[in-house]
Amino acid sequence: MTLLTVEQLTKTFGGTCAVDGIGFTIHEGRCVALLGPNGAGKTTTIRMLTGLLAPTSGRIAFRGFAPGADHRSVIGFLPQIPALYGWMTGQEFLIYAGRLCGLSAKEAQIRCSGLLERVGIASAAKRRIAGYSGGMKQRLGLAQALIHRPKLLILDEPVSALDPIGRREVMELLRELKQETTILFSTHVLHDAEELCDDVLIMRAGRIAVGGAVSEIRNEHRQPILTLEIEQDEQSRNWLRGWLQAPPAYVQSTSANGGGARLVVTDVHAARRSLMGELLESDVRFTKLEIGHTTLEDLFMKVVTAS
Amino acid sequence: MTQWMVLYRKEWLELIRSSKLIWMPVVFILLGAMQPIMTYMMPDIIANAGNMPEGTIIEIPTPHASEVLAQTLQQFGTLGLLIIALISMGTVSGERMSGTSAMILVKPVAYTSFVTAKWAAIVTITAISFVLGYGAGWYYTAALFDTVAWQDAAGSLLLFGLWLSFIGTLTILFSSLLRSAAAAAFTALGTAALLSIATSLLPKALAWSPGKLAGLASAQLTSGTASGMWPVIGITFVCIIAALAISVWSLRKYPSIEAV
């Protein structure tokens, strides 16, 4: 079921267009990654979804709300760097957040202790937030975003500022949360998205370059790829250099790397047969010939570096 | 309403945790008590200064009790205003700068509640401090000079209290319009000074300006009546509501610093 529909969403700051007419839908229960290099417009998009930033034009429609209506009651948001009141204790902040979302004092208390336990900072509940480490603040931020059981959890770069251990732990938490609610999170690390998400939206320069289910995108953009590695002797290297200068028709694109080449090909059967023949004929001392497929990372790199 | 109370209690807790609830009343009490004591001691202070030529005769007429209390009000009108501006200068801009406003305003919180809870907290702490400070001034005036009728004292307290609240509101307004807390305090104090000066220069044209409040409070003390106070009070309330409305509008438009 569709939870959120975004149409023609645009935001311009002065003369620059940060988000340029993007549109997508988020289905209930999915985990969606908003992927893209720094400056692609991810944070701007997220800020518009949370209502912190008014779109220049376009439409954001939540299920059960009129387009453009105040839908803050169904979203939970964790900004890139969670800003918390340092003079409050973790527990006080969580209860405060819960009460603001309309929970009764008792409910807030129950939710608070449950969540503190869950994000693993129960032992620090009665300490002032000013003394928390970055990872603890991030977890408290996650807890306050979850306090009112939001339908959509929006996280802006939830793991970018964390060390590897903290990153691991937050990812584990997200994996659990994914079972309970719909999640949209932005990241510039493809690996995080691949590990956790059902859907990805790859942004570049304010537009969505590629979007859809991870598995579909993987299939759709999957291309056969040949990886060839050779020994570093004179003859083999010369052959490769010459061959790469005028590659046969089945080779779509080539990229030289270290001691060999990576070839994106159109017809994998023809490529295999013909390349094998050529290698034998010219007596090339190859060390590796691998036939595989492009990964999501190849697609990501292609999309974000395309000019 | 529950949500408003939650917000107000948080502001209150912040005032307690940051010790503002202690030092602001203390400073106001010192301000209030100092004026009558200094006035009472003035002949002795001058006599003991020691740099007077031999045979100098100084005669200072004992001031009337209501005059002493009016002078006390002037203390609050300078140093008191400065303290109120300092207390409230970062109310909105501080939260916006640190990003906490973004954390709170993505929750289903009414922008109006967010601003008015802050405003109510500032008005409360101002009221507590001013009542204590003015009470101290009234007590020492009564002890050292003469008792001022409590009706006149109360009337001037309310009039001057409104002026102080007006300045607090102005600071909140500029705190939501400007990025820098210091700029907000400076602009609010500048506006207060301008209003007072303009009102005394153009008494006819600005007969209803909030800048008259301080003068009316003094008049209430010295003459027992503050003629023409109702229009001024009315205009001040209208100004306070307008300032709050503009703050709410500004916060709705720019809830976080990235959006400014």
Side-chain angles (χ1 to χ4, degrees):
Chain A
M1 211 165 15
T2 311
L3 182 66
L4 171 71
T5 313
V6 172
E7 283 165 14
Q8 286 300 317
L9 193 65
T10 304
K11 181 73 195 179
T12 48
F13 294 106
T16 54
C17 194
V19 173
D20 190 4
I22 63 170
F24 58 88
T25 53
I26 293 179
H27 294 276
E28 189 147 27
R30 306 286 281 186
C31 178
V32 185
L34 195 57
L35 205 60
N38 293 325
K42 301 187 300 280
T43 298
T44 310
T45 307
I46 281 187
R47 294 213 156 237
M48 286 193 278
L49 291 182
T50 54
L52 283 175
L53 198 58
T56 308
S57 66
R59 216 170 72 107
I60 298 170
F62 247 88
R63 181 157 52 85
F65 289 86
D70 185 1
H71 56 249
R72 291 181 296 169
S73 54
V74 291
I75 57 172
F77 173 54
L78 173 65
Q80 204 160 353
I81 301 152
L84 309 152
Y85 297 112
W87 49 268
M88 276 191 185
T89 67
Q91 191 177 19
E92 279 168 348
F93 189 84
L94 259 194
I95 292 179
Y96 177 56
R99 298 280 279 138
L100 287 182
C101 292
L103 302 185
S104 73
K106 203 175 162 200
E107 260 179 298
Q109 179 67 52
I110 295 169
R111 280 292 285 163
C112 163
S113 38
L115 277 169
L116 282 173
E117 198 67 51
R118 178 152 193 197
V119 299
I121 48 170
S123 56
K126 296 216 163 73
R127 269 167 45 199
R128 296 275 168 97
I129 296 170
Y132 279 22
S133 69
M136 287 162 84
K137 282 184 188 160
Q138 199 77 12
R139 289 157 199 231
L140 182 59
L142 200 55
Q144 64 83 35
L146 288 167
I147 192 100
H148 57 303
R149 302 181 195 278
K151 286 210 177 102
L152 177 63
L153 182 63
I154 301 179
L155 312 163
D156 192 3
E157 308 254 358
V159 294
S160 303
L162 298 179
D163 62 22
I165 299 169
R167 219 186 68 90
R168 200 63 262 148
E169 287 167 346
V170 170
M171 291 298 276
E172 278 311 313
L173 260 170
L174 290 182
R175 197 188 305 280
E176 283 174 34
L177 289 171
K178 192 178 136 172
Q179 314 297 329
E180 296 162 32
T181 184
T182 314
I183 301 179
L184 170 70
F185 77 94
S186 74
T187 176
H188 53 246
V189 185
L190 175 87
H191 184 68
D192 295 346
E194 230 179 339
E195 198 178 334
L196 213 59
C197 287
D198 309 310
D199 299 325
V200 289
L201 299 162
I202 303 182
M203 282 190 81
R204 185 180 165 273
R207 291 164 185 273
I208 291 187
V210 178
V214 174
S215 50
E216 273 171 36
I217 290 181
R218 203 179 267 141
N219 289 336
E220 214 171 289
H221 294 269
R222 196 152 90 145
Q223 283 176 308
I225 201 162
L226 287 180
T227 314
L228 174 67
E229 276 174 30
I230 53 168
E231 273 182 25
Q232 295 303 308
D233 61 307
E234 193 72 18
Q235 194 225 341
S236 305
R237 270 162 59 190
N238 283 339
W239 175 84
L240 184 65
R241 204 178 306 125
W243 191 80
L244 281 178
Q245 266 160 19
Y250 57 79
V251 175
Q252 202 174 45
S253 68
T254 62
S255 58
N257 62 359
R262 234 162 147 252
L263 318 166
V264 179
V265 296
T266 44
D267 179 353
V268 73
H269 289 296
R272 181 163 25 204
R273 203 172 312 124
S274 139
L275 185 59
M276 282 290 270
E278 276 189 74
L279 287 174
L280 291 174
E281 198 177 308
S282 314
D283 195 20
V284 177
R285 297 185 194 169
F286 64 92
T287 53
K288 181 175 164 190
L289 177 61
E290 190 183 80
I291 291 150
H293 288 97
T294 50
T295 59
L296 218 50
E297 178 149 11
D298 294 314
L299 173 67
F300 180 61
M301 290 311 290
K302 196 173 109 192
V303 166
V304 302
T305 54
S307 50
Chain B
M1 200 59 203
T2 336
Q3 195 185 52
W4 191 89
M5 279 311 294
V6 172
L7 285 163
Y8 180 71
R9 268 210 300 275
K10 174 253 157 189
E11 293 301 324
W12 198 237
L13 190 66
E14 187 167 11
L15 288 178
I16 295 172
R17 294 264 165 95
S18 59
S19 307
K20 283 178 181 164
L21 199 58
I22 297 173
W23 70 254
M24 186 162 162
V26 168
V27 173
F28 268 70
I29 289 171
L30 283 176
L31 273 181
M34 222 155 63
Q35 188 62 30
I37 294 174
M38 287 287 279
T39 313
Y40 183 74
M41 307 283 238
M42 197 48 83
D44 293 334
I45 294 171
I46 293 174
N48 289 325
N51 52 3
M52 291 289 162
E54 200 74 31
T56 312
I57 298 167
I58 304 161
E59 262 191 69
I60 300 175
T62 312
H64 197 265
S66 60
E67 286 166 25
V68 177
L69 211 50
Q71 284 165 4
T72 312
L73 278 186
Q74 280 173 10
Q75 292 288 328
F76 290 121
T78 49
L79 281 174
L81 283 195
L82 179 67
I83 288 162
I84 291 171
L86 286 178
I87 285 259
S88 39
M89 64 183 189
T91 0
V92 179
S93 61
E95 294 236 7
R96 213 189 251 150
M97 275 303 193
S98 68
T100 44
S101 64
M103 291 289 268
I104 299 307
L105 291 171
V106 292
K107 304 200 181 312
V109 174
Y111 295 91
T112 317
S113 306
F114 190 80
V115 172
T116 51
K118 286 184 173 299
W119 174 80
I122 298 285
V123 169
T124 317
I125 190 176
T126 304
I128 292 175
S129 311
F130 180 56
V131 166
L132 288 174
Y134 200 51
W138 184 80
Y139 171 77
Y140 278 103
T141 307
L144 301 173
F145 297 90
D146 200 0
T147 315
V148 176
W150 70 266
Q151 292 94 332
D152 290 345
S156 63
L157 175 107
L158 289 177
L159 282 168
F160 205 81
L162 184 60
W163 171 239
L164 294 181
S165 306
F166 175 71
I167 300 307
T169 316
L170 271 187
T171 319
I172 293 179
L173 168 67
F174 290 120
S175 172
S176 51
L177 291 178
L178 303 169
R179 272 178 181 230
S180 145
F186 180 80
T187 320
L189 289 174
T191 313
L194 268 181
L195 261 182
S196 306
I197 295 169
T199 311
S200 56
L201 285 180
L202 309 161
K204 283 261 165 56
L206 293 168
W208 293 1
S209 137
K212 277 199 90 163
L213 280 169
L216 287 173
S218 295
Q220 173 74 44
L221 274 178
T222 45
S223 64
T225 50
S227 55
M229 67 171 183
W230 291 113
V232 177
I233 292 175
I235 292 287
T236 308
F237 273 106
V238 170
C239 288
I240 287 180
I241 291 169
L244 288 177
I246 297 172
S247 301
V248 171
W249 167 83
S250 155
L251 193 69
R252 195 188 302 268
K253 201 155 164 40
Y254 307 115
S256 64
I257 196 68
E258 292 93 331
V260 174

